[in-house]
């Protein structure tokens, strides 16, 4: 249980860093492009940062191409979800462009955590939990 709480906290820290960076990229680009394009670019750039930090710090996983593929499939899904939410909020509900990233955050963060924990890093999580149980 302690491991899960630590992972959730660390995942949240990584998410906060990525959210801030995505928002900065978004605010720099949305007037020059569109809210949808700006969100897509920001989300894409910060996915590389998220992979690196989550792999090394949160889930303490070795580099593995299957893990990378799963991670990017997860990010592709949540990136697409982010773009859909942005498009709907912008074009159908006419939400202020400056707060759309906050709305996408409430949808994509839980989705990304669940997929990362139970699919991408599933075997790593089990190995790490076993290692902690034997030392606790």
């Amino acid at each position: 249980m302690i491991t899960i709480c630590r992972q959730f906290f660390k995942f949240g820290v990584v998410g906060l860093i990525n959210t801030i960076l995505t928002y900065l990229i978004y605010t720099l680009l949305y007037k020059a492009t569109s809210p949808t394009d700006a969100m897509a670019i920001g989300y894409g750039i910060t996915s590389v940062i998220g992979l690196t930090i989550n792999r090394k710090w949160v889930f303490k996983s070795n580099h593995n191409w299957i893990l990378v593929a799963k991670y990017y499939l997860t990010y592709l899904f949540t990136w697409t979800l982010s773009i859909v939410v942005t498009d709907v909020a912008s074009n159908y509900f006419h939400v202020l462009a400056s707060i759309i990233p906050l709305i996408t955050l409430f949808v994509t963060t839980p989705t990304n955590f669940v997929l990362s924990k139970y699919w991408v890093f599933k075997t790593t999580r089990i190995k790490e939990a076993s290692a902690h149980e034997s030392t606790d």
Side-chain angles (χ1 to χ4, degrees), residues 68-90:
V68 172
K70 286 180 173 182
Y71 187 87
Y72 277 103
L73 284 172
T74 298
Y75 254 80
L76 178 61
F77 177 74
T78 55
W79 176 75
T80 302
L81 184 60
S82 174
I83 291 169
V84 168
V85 170
T86 300
D87 189 57
V88 169
S90 175

Side-chain angles (χ1 to χ4, degrees), residues 10-21:
K10 289 178 177 181
F11 190 85
V13 170
V14 174
L16 180 62
I17 292 166
N18 274 354
T19 299
I20 291 167
L21 290 174

Side-chain angles (χ1 to χ4, degrees), residues 65-131:
W65 288 110
I66 293 172
L67 179 143
V68 172
K70 286 180 173 182
Y71 187 87
Y72 277 103
L73 284 172
T74 298
Y75 254 80
L76 178 61
F77 177 74
T78 55
W79 176 75
T80 302
L81 184 60
S82 174
I83 291 169
V84 168
V85 170
T86 300
D87 189 57
V88 169
S90 175
N91 294 319
Y92 296 98
F93 292 102
H94 307 291
V95 175
L96 292 172
S98 60
I99 65 166
I100 290 174
L102 299 175
I103 295 167
T104 64
L105 176 67
F106 286 109
V107 175
T108 59
T109 299
T111 303
N112 196 359
F113 179 75
V114 168
L115 290 172
S116 292
K117 181 164 185 56
Y118 295 106
W119 185 55
V120 176
F121 299 103
K122 181 179 180 182
T123 58
T124 302
R125 180 185 60 80
I126 292 168
K127 289 177 188 173
E128 183 178 330
S130 296

Side-chain angles (χ1 to χ4, degrees), residues 7 35 67 132 136:
Q7 287 176 335
L67 179 143
H132 278 82
D136 286 344

